[in-house]
Amino acid sequence: MNQLARTLRIGCIQLKVCANKTENVARALNKIREAKMKGAEIVSLPECFNSLYGTSYFPEYAEPIPGETTNLLSQIAKELEIIVIGGTIPERDGDKLFNTATVWGKSGELLAKYRKMHLFDIDIPNEITFKESDSLTAGNELAIIDVKDFKIGLGICYDIRFEELAKLYRKQGCNMLVYPGAFNMKTGPLHWELLARSRANDNQLFTALISPARDVNASYVAYGHSCVIDPWGKVLYMAESDEELFVVDLELDVSDKVRSNIPIFSQRRVDVYDTIENK
Ligand SMILES: O=C(O)CCC(=O)C(=O)O
């Protein structure tokens, strides 16, 4: 067994995002450089890292993939020989818009593209109403990348609420999930850590959630608290709300251990679940 392939240093960039796309992208590239200097082998940006977050902004900021933003992600991945999970950007494809994550390999090649599958449509009267489906179309495909011995599945923000998606990734052999996300000041304190730890614990894999930094003057105020959780559900690192770049070392032995110590996957009573569900 190649022990080195079973460890991975991930860099998480809780990026400050403003209205200026060029500035956002330049800032992100600088932070990717810093992550490389800290020894990160893979790095992730947050959801909507090049644009303001809001349904009215998506058409204004949207661009095709490949396009101006993702070309720069591809270039920096190649230059630094680092894997870049390009957070998400509003993507334009024909007359449709998507909330899309891309992953760039060490030769600048596109390793994966994931379009948010569950659109963020919620209505908590007098607190927060958001309807991504006003301007976005949902994706229908999984996206998995192989990095050393890590098999990483991608989701985006609201997707983390759907255990079915995480379980599908686990069934495909994933031992890590990465969700660029931007929870808000209502649901963030309530559910962000809970969901991150739940997905990790349910599926006995690492989860990483990467948020933009909090900007209290923005129309949508992100919660921050980017984090990495281990397969026991333990928080390895959780940021506060300001801009921050952090790296975390992951060891696959941890996921093997929890999977063998608490073997819930071989103990699932699908025979019973299926019988009851199909009654
Ligand atoms: O699920 C939530 O509470 C927040 C989701 C969200 O902000 C998003 O999907 O962008």
Side-chain angles (χ1 to χ4, degrees):
M1 192 182 288
N2 176 0
Q3 205 51 37
L4 208 60
R6 297 176 54 75
T7 64
L8 186 67
R9 181 168 290 182
I10 183 168
C12 302
I13 301 175
Q14 182 158 292
L15 189 75
K16 202 157 123 187
V17 176
C18 67
N20 185 315
K21 191 198 261 196
T22 312
E23 249 178 63
N24 292 333
V25 176
R27 206 174 175 84
L29 298 180
N30 280 337
K31 293 285 170 196
I32 293 171
R33 278 184 200 288
E34 260 181 60
K36 176 71 185 186
M37 286 190 295
K38 290 186 168 194
E41 298 163 277
I42 181 168
V43 63
S44 180
L45 293 164
E47 184 178 27
C48 283
F49 81 91
N50 72 348
S51 82
L52 293 175
Y53 187 65
T55 48
S56 59
Y57 301 119
F58 297 143
E60 181 190 334
Y61 285 84
E63 53 181 273
I65 295 174
E68 51 173 329
T69 298
T70 54
N71 285 342
L72 291 168
L73 295 179
S74 158
Q75 276 169 29
I76 194 125
K78 183 172 176 182
E79 181 199 327
L80 301 179
E81 296 187 14
I82 189 171
I83 293 162
V84 175
I85 302 178
T88 79
I89 63 167
E91 177 198 3
R92 183 180 299 285
D93 184 1
D95 58 359
K96 290 191 174 147
L97 301 179
F98 300 88
N99 187 345
T100 305
T102 53
V103 187
W104 302 91
K106 291 181 181 176
S107 307
E109 75 281 22
L110 181 64
L111 294 178
K113 176 165 137 172
Y114 175 81
R115 289 169 164 170
K116 190 175 194 173
M117 190 180 283
H118 304 91
L119 296 181
F120 178 40
D121 287 359
I122 67 166
D123 182 19
I124 307 176
N126 305 320
E127 302 217 54
I128 176 166
T129 299
F130 206 95
K131 199 153 184 251
E132 271 189 325
S133 62
D134 276 346
S135 55
L136 299 183
T137 302
N140 299 316
E141 312 266 344
L142 302 184
I144 296 174
I145 51 163
D146 288 293
V147 183
K148 301 167 91 178
D149 283 353
F150 287 74
K151 202 176 249 308
I152 304 175
L154 294 179
I156 300 172
C157 205
Y158 198 58
D159 282 331
I160 199 173
R161 292 187 177 275
F162 298 85
E163 152 61 10
E164 295 89 334
L165 177 62
K167 180 109 352 18
L168 266 178
Y169 277 127
R170 164 73 203 261
K171 286 184 182 164
Q172 306 267 328
C174 288
N175 43 34
M176 177 161 194
L177 300 176
V178 175
Y179 296 90
F183 271 39
N184 51 76
M185 296 307 293
K186 171 68 184 174
T187 61
L190 281 170
H191 296 152
W192 176 263
E193 179 178 342
L194 175 71
L195 289 165
R197 297 183 65 194
S198 301
R199 295 298 79 88
N201 179 58
D202 291 343
N203 296 292
Q204 301 177 311
L205 38 67
F206 292 95
T207 58
L209 276 57
I210 302 93
S211 168
R214 188 178 304 164
D215 172 2
V216 290
N217 298 312
S219 56
Y220 182 94
V221 181
Y223 178 55
H225 290 79
S226 300
C227 58
V228 178
I229 316 292
D230 88 356
W232 290 95
K234 183 172 139 198
V235 178
L236 295 179
Y237 189 84
M238 171 121 14
E240 298 284 337
S241 54
D242 289 344
E243 186 171 64
E244 181 176 343
L245 155 69
F246 59 90
V247 297
V248 178
D249 289 320
L250 312 173
E251 287 182 22
L252 272 185
D253 288 357
V254 179
S255 109
D256 290 353
K257 192 157 193 303
V258 66
R259 288 178 186 195
S260 94
N261 290 176
I262 311 179
I264 46 175
F265 260 66
S266 58
Q267 295 168 335
R268 292 164 66 234
R269 292 294 310 278
V270 280
D271 54 330
V272 177
Y273 315 148
D274 289 350
T275 314
I276 294 173
E277 194 171 293
N278 296 330
K279 255 191 197 154

